Amino acid sequence: MSRWWIDNGLLLTMSDAAPVIRGYMCVENGRITYIGQDRPQGDAGERVDGRGKLYMPGLVNTHNHAAMSLLRGFGDDLALQVWLETKMWPNEAKFTDEDVRWGTLLSIVEMLKSGTTCFVDMYDHMDEVAQAVAESGIRGCLTRGVIGLCPPDVQTAKLEEAIRFARTWQGAADGRITTMLSPHSPYTCPPDYIERIVEAAHDLDVPLHTHMSETRREVEQNVEQYGLRPPAHLAKLGVFSRPCLVAHGVHLTDEEIELLAEHRVHVSHNPGSNLKLASGIARVPDLLRAGVRVSLGTDSSASNNNLDMFEEIRLAALLAKGSSFDPTALPAAQALKLGTVEGARSIWLNDVGTLEVGMQADVISIDVEQPHYYPQTDYISHIVYAGSGADVRDVWVQGRQVVRNRECLLVDEEKIRREAQACYQRLTGN
Amino acid sequence: MSRWWIDNGLLLTMSDAAPVIRGYMCVENGRITYIGQDRPQGDAGERVDGRGKLYMPGLVNTHNHAAMSLLRGFGDDLALQVWLETKMWPNEAKFTDEDVRWGTLLSIVEMLKSGTTCFVDMYDHMDEVAQAVAESGIRGCLTRGVIGLCPPDVQTAKLEEAIRFARTWQGAADGRITTMLSPHSPYTCPPDYIERIVEAAHDLDVPLHTHMSETRREVEQNVEQYGLRPPAHLAKLGVFSRPCLVAHGVHLTDEEIELLAEHRVHVSHNPGSNLKLASGIARVPDLLRAGVRVSLGTDSSASNNNLDMFEEIRLAALLAKGSSFDPTALPAAQALKLGTVEGARSIWLNDVGTLEVGMQADVISIDVEQPHYYPQTDYISHIVYAGSGADVRDVWVQGRQVVRNRECLLVDEEKIRREAQACYQRLTGN
């Protein structure tokens, strides 16, 4: 039974009532039991000196393929198909359990140290990913992404594996792991296969996660092949009959935005990856206006190329303004919500994402005694428009400290870097 | 007479011949005397242990108003005119020498610690700025920005002050300071006043720096008022008869891009500020294709809101791709040149911006033993797409160390933060 409290810190609660207060916060058994301006009386457990620090909810990254960190910087500035066909796919096909383990841990270390306390991961060899989440102390919403461009028996085997994974790990690691099912995308899964996955999601009662409308080419192809654009196609196949999180959603019509709102489909906006792969700029202000739940993801660090969610928050805010010629589009506080509480809600976690009594203590500290946090005017503005993951000092997930003064406490960062390098060299022969 | 050498570091030279080598570099009296794979023999002076570090040229920020850091986070997410008229101008009008001193030093500390070794500054109370540059060890290309919306005697007084400043400080601080003249913009200076400034620039033999075509509104106004769009207007007034650096250049036609190329006008691209103020996205790939020299600037931290040039380099590369739907637009190495050697050339410094024998030793070290620099594939990619100013550990300008392990050696950071905070509170009554 762990108890600790923050003594005299700046607390960015992300609640609507009191966004930033100076005060005290108590945590017991992984949850926030007090937050406010009164100093706790009696024995509140281990004291954390809050001076010079700002405490806020950990960031939630709603789209990643963590193990692909092994291919960071291995082929940039290439046309998408060249990049996929000559750099990514041939090497990913060679990934073993071992590669996925070290690639995922490399990403987890990067995420934790830059303030991400929860991430969505869609990949293969998912037992390794779940194991890495369990060990490292981070929170994960995990899903075996299945590609259906293969013979029926392989399709069935993949789906069975995805189902087994989702069932086995749901609620594992003290509830830090939740699971979903994932047809990789409408262009990599035949319609009948998608329908089988939807049925399985109903049976298991888990949400669905898929890529949708990332590139113009993909939208055109879908029309050529199926006579429908991706959102109508997925709706027809029943994907939106389940709680559903789609990644990207760059190329959407007004009607499609309405459709997503109607079916309560959540969109993971990946601004950095969308720019780098030249996919375009998603219509985030329009999505939000229509009432669609939007959160933020990095996508993998092979296409980003880092996992710093502060950057995605800032990019989301800046791109919304720059692409609409409206400087009031997506203000700082709203952008920060997309990276915290809206991220949590996007993956159906209702007790994560704010610092309020009863919420899970997924908390990060920011060193605000740095030039770019001065003058001390508006901390939400500073975090969104001036801050970065490098400002994070301490991280707790479910009340347990996992990073202290930029050092990971539960995993060996140096070893992980070394092993990831060895995996990369083995894979690519470099 | 100072001599030092780097022992066994990664050296990102930015020369075309050998962009990244592992080796040694010697510096004597502020200049690079050796760089290569052979260990220097005999006494090469103070040894710098290069293990785990990458050394590269310091970054060059070609557009800033450093003192405006005092208004960082003071009014974001507002329409441009509301922001200027209610937040910026009324407070800037109150700026004293003291305010400019501390605001500029706050920016200089932020710049140095994030790897910027040279910056362009256009502001008022410029003796304070020059003094801060001299003290802090950074390099500066400085100019008194004059606004001509005032009676003729005030115009004359401002111009005389700008001339005195440019003459007095040209070549000061061991040559670290160079100067320019600056009509603030075509919309804040009447045509005859701009002509007088051009004439003075000819007399003094200094370049010109001005804002141009930042917003659509400004372009439309120029047409309404003078019958010409800004580039033709400035050309007509003789501005391009001098070496000239224009900031922004967001709204340009094909013909205007040709005009800039023809007159060898340099463009300081400010992607972060342009997005945040919702001005738009500059046509950087088109400018480069036409042969226009492009460099990068942050603009002030009141509109950015930080001075991390790594972000501007990354944004330039990402926006070029995302806005053109071409992932090969502005590759990493080219983007990095815009922030280093092209920045130096943009302000007519021909011995700054690469690590080569004979060049000035403006050098920064990057801690590459971090997760986001793994696997060790392509360091240029990692710096551009994954790195940040927080990765900088050491900084030298003209061979003199000014930052060691993230600590400024020549100025007192803590005092500067405190004084900047006091200035802000005095100015705004907060």
Side-chain angles (χ1 to χ4, degrees), chain A residues 109-154:
Chain A
V109 167
E110 187 187 349
M111 286 192 280
L112 283 177
K113 290 179 79 174
S114 58
T116 293
T117 51
C118 177
F119 73 113
V120 169
D121 205 64
M122 181 206 285
Y123 211 63
D124 194 359
H125 305 269
M126 289 302 294
D127 291 324
E128 294 296 329
V129 178
Q131 190 53 46
V133 168
E135 282 173 35
S136 64
I138 200 168
R139 192 185 291 280
C141 181
L142 311 179
T143 173
R144 198 311 191 185
V146 293
I147 291 183
L149 306 173
C150 49
D153 58 324
V154 183

Side-chain angles (χ1 to χ4, degrees), chain A residues 303-379:
Chain A
S303 68
N304 188 299
N305 289 0
N306 68 36
L307 302 177
D308 183 348
M309 281 288 292
F310 288 84
E311 274 187 31
E312 302 304 318
I313 292 168
R314 173 151 62 249
L315 256 186
L318 293 183
L319 289 178
K321 299 177 209 306
S323 65
S324 67
F325 294 102
D326 174 8
T328 71
L330 202 53
Q334 195 179 7
L336 194 53
K337 280 188 177 178
L338 304 193
T340 52
V341 61
E342 292 299 304
R345 303 269 160 83
S346 282
I347 50 174
W348 303 276
L349 298 178
N350 294 318
D351 57 355
V352 169
T354 63
L355 303 187
E356 292 176 285
V357 170
M359 299 294 279
Q360 303 237 22
D362 292 11
V363 185
I364 63 178
S365 79
I366 308 282
D367 175 4
V368 292
E369 290 300 327
Q370 298 189 79
H372 54 290
Y373 285 95
Y374 270 77
Q376 297 166 329
T377 45
D378 177 343
Y379 281 108

Side-chain angles (χ1 to χ4, degrees), chain B residues 343-365:
Chain B
R345 302 268 160 84
S346 281
I347 51 174
W348 303 275
L349 299 177
N350 293 318
D351 57 356
V352 170
T354 63
L355 303 188
E356 292 177 285
V357 170
M359 298 294 278
Q360 303 237 23
D362 291 11
V363 184
I364 63 178
S365 79

Side-chain angles (χ1 to χ4, degrees), chain A residues 111-350:
Chain A
M111 286 192 280
L112 283 177
K113 290 179 79 174
S114 58
T116 293
T117 51
C118 177
F119 73 113
V120 169
D121 205 64
M122 181 206 285
Y123 211 63
D124 194 359
H125 305 269
M126 289 302 294
D127 291 324
E128 294 296 329
V129 178
Q131 190 53 46
V133 168
E135 282 173 35
S136 64
I138 200 168
R139 192 185 291 280
C141 181
L142 311 179
T143 173
R144 198 311 191 185
V146 293
I147 291 183
L149 306 173
C150 49
D153 58 324
V154 183
Q155 281 186 351
T156 298
K158 282 183 177 182
L159 178 53
E160 281 170 2
E161 186 199 323
I163 292 169
R164 180 200 55 76
F165 175 79
R167 184 179 286 131
T168 309
W169 289 95
Q170 181 73 279
D174 299 318
R176 281 186 286 114
I177 294 178
T178 54
T179 59
M180 306 190 280
L181 287 185
S182 284
H184 172 271
S185 72
Y187 61 94
T188 53
C189 291
D192 64 325
Y193 193 44
I194 293 180
E195 285 173 327
R196 288 172 63 196
I197 301 170
V198 172
E199 200 186 312
H202 276 290
D203 292 346
L204 280 172
D205 193 21
V206 295
L208 289 165
H209 181 37
T210 191
H211 297 92
M212 189 189 80
S213 304
E214 180 177 3
T215 67
R216 288 195 297 206
R217 179 81 201 102
E218 165 203 339
V219 173
E220 289 161 9
Q221 265 182 329
N222 213 87
V223 172
E224 281 163 28
Q225 209 167 352
Y226 303 116
L228 291 172
R229 291 167 57 96
H233 178 68
L234 291 179
K236 187 179 155 199
L237 299 175
V239 172
F240 302 156
S241 69
R242 294 294 312 158
C244 181
L245 171 68
V246 299
H248 303 301
V250 177
H251 298 280
L252 298 173
T253 64
D254 290 348
E255 294 69 30
E256 288 169 347
I257 290 175
E258 279 310 314
L259 180 80
L260 298 180
E262 216 173 277
H263 288 87
R264 299 167 159 272
V265 176
H266 302 166
V267 174
S268 175
H269 173 42
N270 294 194
S273 176
N274 294 159
L275 286 178
K276 183 152 183 286
L277 297 175
S279 306
I281 298 173
R283 298 173 56 188
V284 172
D286 295 329
L287 284 163
L288 292 171
R289 223 173 346 253
V292 176
R293 173 150 277 153
V294 177
S295 58
L296 299 173
T298 53
D299 212 344
S300 90
S301 50
S303 68
N304 188 299
N305 289 0
N306 68 36
L307 302 177
D308 183 348
M309 281 288 292
F310 288 84
E311 274 187 31
E312 302 304 318
I313 292 168
R314 173 151 62 249
L315 256 186
L318 293 183
L319 289 178
K321 299 177 209 306
S323 65
S324 67
F325 294 102
D326 174 8
T328 71
L330 202 53
Q334 195 179 7
L336 194 53
K337 280 188 177 178
L338 304 193
T340 52
V341 61
E342 292 299 304
R345 303 269 160 83
S346 282
I347 50 174
W348 303 276
L349 298 178
N350 294 318

Side-chain angles (χ1 to χ4, degrees), chain B residues 64 73 77 97 104 152-153 158 171 200 215 311 327 347 359 361 364 366 374 387-388 391 401 429:
Chain B
N64 198 353
D77 305 323
D97 281 358
T104 301
D153 58 322
K158 282 183 177 181
T215 66
E311 274 188 30
I347 51 174
M359 298 294 278
I364 63 178
I366 308 282
Y374 271 77
S388 90
D391 303 328
Q401 187 154 19

